[in-house]
Amino acid sequence: GAPALVMELVDGPTLQDRIAEGALPVEEALSIARQIAEALEYAHERGIIHRDLKPANVKLTSDGQIKLLDFGLAKALDTGREGASTADLTRSPTMTSQGTAMGVILGTAAYMSPEQARGKPVDRRTDVWAFGVLLWEMLTGARLFQGETVTDTLAAVLMREPEWNSLPTALPRAVLRLLHRCLERDPKQRLHDIADARLEIQGAMTDPDLESASPSSPAVQSRRRSIAPWLIAAAAVGIAAWSIWSGRRRPAPEVVRLAVPMPAGMQIEPNLQEQVQVLAISPDGRRIAFQGRAGDHRSLFVRDLASAAPQPLAGTEEAGDVFFSPDGEWVGFSGNGHLKKISVHGGTPVTLATTGGTRGGAWGSGGTIVFAPTVNSGLFRVPAAGGEPRPLTTIDAAHGERTHRWPEILPDGATVLFTVGTQDKPGDYDEARIDAVSLETAKRHTVYQGASQARYAAPGFLILARHGDLLSVPFDAGNALIHGTPVPVLQGAGGDPHSGVAFFGVATTGTLAFVPRSAGERLDEIVWLDRAGRAQPTGIRPGQYTHVAISPDGRRLAYSEGAGFGTRSDNWIFDVARGSALQLTSDGNARGACWSPDSKSIVYSTVGADGFIRRSADGSGPREILWRTPLRVPLTPDSFTADGSAMLLTRYGMPTRSDIFLLPLTGDRTLRPLIQTSLAEEGAALSPDGRWLAYTGEYSGTTAQVYVQPFPSLAGRWQVSTESGVVGSHNMPRWSRDGKELFYFTNNTLMSVPVELSPTFTYGKAQPLFRVENPEVNDWNSIYDVSPDGKRFAFILQKSRATMPSRIDVVLHWTDRLSEKEK
């Protein structure tokens, strides 16, 4: 009763497998070619054109017969079938689009007919061309048309002449003549019927008196020498005439869209918690770099479009915000609080600067890298060789600016485009402003209002991202001004609207690469986990959460609802006994929560300039501004002192990635640096007796670890963790209320360290309590907290994730078509 699809099992190797062993003897090659011609003849007589003839679609059975496979291209398109795991362009990405409409390219690059590559209507002569290419490959053991990229291969199909001298010397004259007729670029001059090819091959195989006349035979060489001067002169005149004619008459090539699928088990993995750029294309269009995952391995990968498989870059496991150097030989990225670069051929990443949560980077022709070091900062510049970052732009808070991000350096190397986010629309960039700033004078002006990101495309266009669409508008790069009205280029580009990033890049050649939009949406849940890791519901509905904190009396939970920093975020209070939730803020501008020692109020930070706010946990009374920050960098409230007279906080940003500060809540409320001696310190937690400070620190030559120091003297330091990978403030240490345990979360495992607080601090060996397979991960926030009795923990877990894309789309020639329309 179940529908089933039953297909013939065709055993044996493919013709591609046979050619991989070397060139076929002429007799064997002609025998196979005759059978292929018979199969095509049978199909053509019934009105079917193959349109994807290549060695991989020909099977060689054990009885010497061939089977011609895969006639489905004309009617059943499959963007993911080709190119998943092979090593050359014989299985380069099958180009597919909407049905068989005129202007749409179908087939595989190395075997396409010229008319097919241009997206023109095709008939049975396109199979004749591919038959000639395939026969050539059998006779020589090498592909006739190839290039470093798919684009180069298509160019070879359209322009490169075959090297006739590479054919076997014993090739019958009739077969040489047949190849010439099959490989005519003008379909009108090409062999019209594959049946004629079959007859030519049969004649060559059966008539022993047919003369062998390879291109390298003496007779042919003599004739070539006698006419060579005339051919050269004629070619020179022809090239000159073609240059003049093509400058006036040659139409723009058709737009081509390629689907570049990932190998099995690999996917693009935009880290939507980090909300950063996951894709870049090299300026010459040869390579694509992307953030991805293969099995359990997450890193940056580089895919040469001439290769079938992406290559991982070791040492980039935490990388994001990828961008290329002008020469395409280096990839810049951010990771673990640093701006870095790495060769596309691999090696050790080079650290250029320290950062917070970056929002884009760009590498200019003058050897300068421009980047947004934090989510709420201006742009900084740093030499590509490394050095001290210097500010380039300043946030204009008086006019409502909140962030500068997603820089793009124009070809002159002197002007930078960037996105301006505002205080009134955190997490909404579709109506953001695109500004330009001079690297020399720092003068800036507005280029466009109403887009989330801008990229330059030669010869003179600006690509704008908005609502998942890419728009194009004519652009004067010299003056950084647009002229005209934006028009749609394509729809369905992936990205994160909360941070304004769109996953696309444009090469100087005009090649555009983008990651398609993901399906679904992230959904989290806040659950109770006991000391064995067994889960129980809290009663909080599923949503998107970034922070959870248990009140000191254990009666309430404070949590932040929102996709992450830079998005709309509000704080809620959940009554554990009653199972009811109170929305404490509603302006979309609150994040994080730190309970007062008496459990009556919480302190949280704001995205705007208000800094830290204290609010009664029952929602009564006005909010109290504890401290107004002059800095446009992320801040998190971490811990109160035992008497509630001061609190500790983490500041993320330049010049170091993160530092711990003390904020007095009485008298002079001046922010005082407490710990800022390492590469990064964050997540301060004071012990119940107020005498010991635990935090996560990353010191030179070490991985991030959990440390304890005396408070407030800070005299001495103990490292209580030993596992590598203790990074991110979601690993913040937590004390048990009885002062006998210190907890931290690392490598998806909650660890417990036995401790004694008096008369001095002592600690034992860390022990794992349980492993969590699906924790939420979000910078600058805590995803767990411990109950006062130490028997259970509140955790933010992933309930569902967006379906990540398994391909990258590449678009060719679209700027040529736009330029043609402009003319």
Side-chain angles (χ1 to χ4, degrees), residues 160-208:
R160 188 181 303 160
E161 284 300 318
E163 296 182 3
W164 299 103
N165 282 328
S166 61
L167 290 168
T169 57
L171 189 67
R173 181 185 300 276
V175 177
L176 176 61
R177 182 171 59 246
L178 172 63
L179 282 170
H180 274 280
R181 295 192 64 191
C182 288
L183 297 176
E184 285 283 353
R185 286 192 167 84
D186 184 354
K188 295 180 180 179
Q189 303 301 319
R190 192 180 307 151
L191 190 72
H192 278 46
D193 200 317
I194 195 67
D196 294 334
R198 175 180 57 80
L199 293 173
E200 289 280 11
I201 292 174
Q202 284 179 345
M205 294 175 65
T206 58
D207 190 346

Side-chain angles (χ1 to χ4, degrees), residues 122 140 192 196 270 287 398 490 585 589 622 662 672 714 725 758 822:
V122 297
T140 64
H192 278 46
D196 294 334
R287 300 183 177 103
L490 61 85
T585 68
N589 221 19
L662 178 72
R672 304 171 187 176
L714 304 179
S758 182
E822 286 296 309

Side-chain angles (χ1 to χ4, degrees), residues 468-482:
D469 298 338
L470 299 185
L471 312 176
S472 174
V473 62
F475 181 67
D476 177 2
N479 297 306
L481 295 172
I482 66 170

Side-chain angles (χ1 to χ4, degrees), residues 213-530:
S214 76
S216 57
S217 66
V220 174
Q221 290 179 359
S222 175
R223 287 194 299 273
R224 277 188 175 164
R225 283 193 294 269
S226 65
I227 62 173
W230 300 101
L231 286 176
I232 293 172
V237 174
I239 290 172
W242 168 255
S243 299
I244 297 173
W245 179 85
S246 62
R248 301 179 194 164
R249 299 285 305 278
R250 184 176 59 182
E254 297 294 335
V255 176
V256 179
R257 180 162 168 171
L258 318 175
V260 183
M262 296 294 102
M266 179 180 290
Q267 65 181 14
I268 315 295
E269 187 171 87
N271 192 325
L272 298 183
Q273 289 77 30
E274 296 175 1
Q275 304 165 348
V276 296
Q277 182 58 265
V278 302
L279 172 76
I281 185 169
S282 61
D284 59 10
R286 290 180 55 192
R287 300 183 177 103
I288 295 173
F290 64 91
Q291 186 175 313
R293 179 182 292 275
D296 293 332
H297 180 72
R298 178 178 179 270
S299 70
L300 289 182
F301 292 82
V302 172
R303 163 74 185 260
D304 191 314
L305 289 182
S307 174
Q311 298 301 314
L313 296 178
T316 63
E317 289 74 18
E318 300 298 325
D321 265 349
V322 57
F323 55 94
F324 271 100
S325 62
D327 62 5
E329 292 297 316
W330 291 84
V331 175
F333 64 95
S334 63
N336 284 338
H338 299 92
L339 182 71
K340 301 180 181 182
K341 67 179 181 181
I342 187 172
S343 169
V344 296
H345 306 293
T348 302
V350 179
T351 298
L352 305 176
T354 54
T355 68
T358 59
R359 288 297 181 265
W363 194 326
S365 57
T368 295
I369 292 177
V370 175
F371 66 104
T374 72
V375 298
N376 277 344
S377 69
L379 299 179
F380 279 67
R381 59 188 297 177
V382 67
E388 184 67 24
R390 293 187 291 126
L392 174 62
T393 65
T394 302
I395 299 292
D396 187 355
H399 289 85
E401 293 183 1
R402 182 179 59 82
T403 176
H404 295 167
R405 53 183 59 190
W406 314 130
E408 167 81 343
I409 302 180
L410 294 179
D412 62 5
T415 306
V416 181
L417 303 179
F418 62 97
T419 301
V420 179
T422 56
Q423 297 178 18
D424 61 331
K425 293 184 177 180
D428 182 2
Y429 291 87
D430 284 328
E431 300 299 330
R433 195 172 75 240
I434 306 298
D435 277 10
V437 62
S438 168
L439 281 171
E440 180 179 354
T441 66
K443 291 183 178 180
R444 47 185 284 209
H445 67 270
T446 297
V447 175
Y448 185 77
Q449 178 78 48
S452 64
Q453 183 178 301
R455 292 289 181 262
Y456 176 76
F461 298 95
L462 199 61
I463 308 304
L464 304 168
R466 188 172 187 272
H467 292 307
D469 298 338
L470 299 185
L471 312 176
S472 174
V473 62
F475 181 67
D476 177 2
N479 297 306
L481 295 172
I482 66 170
H483 51 90
T485 302
V487 297
V489 174
L490 61 85
Q491 295 178 321
D496 186 353
H498 301 304
S499 69
V501 66
F503 301 147
F504 80 100
V506 184
T508 55
T509 58
T511 300
L512 184 150
F514 69 96
V515 178
R517 184 180 298 157
S518 301
E521 187 178 28
R522 160 191 159 195
L523 201 61
D524 306 323
E525 56 184 350
I526 301 177
V527 302
W528 293 112
L529 298 179
D530 64 17

Side-chain angles (χ1 to χ4, degrees), residues 552 594-603 614 640:
C594 183
W595 285 96
S596 62
D598 60 7
S599 299
K600 292 183 178 180
S601 63
I602 67 167
V603 174
R614 178 157 53 192
F640 274 88

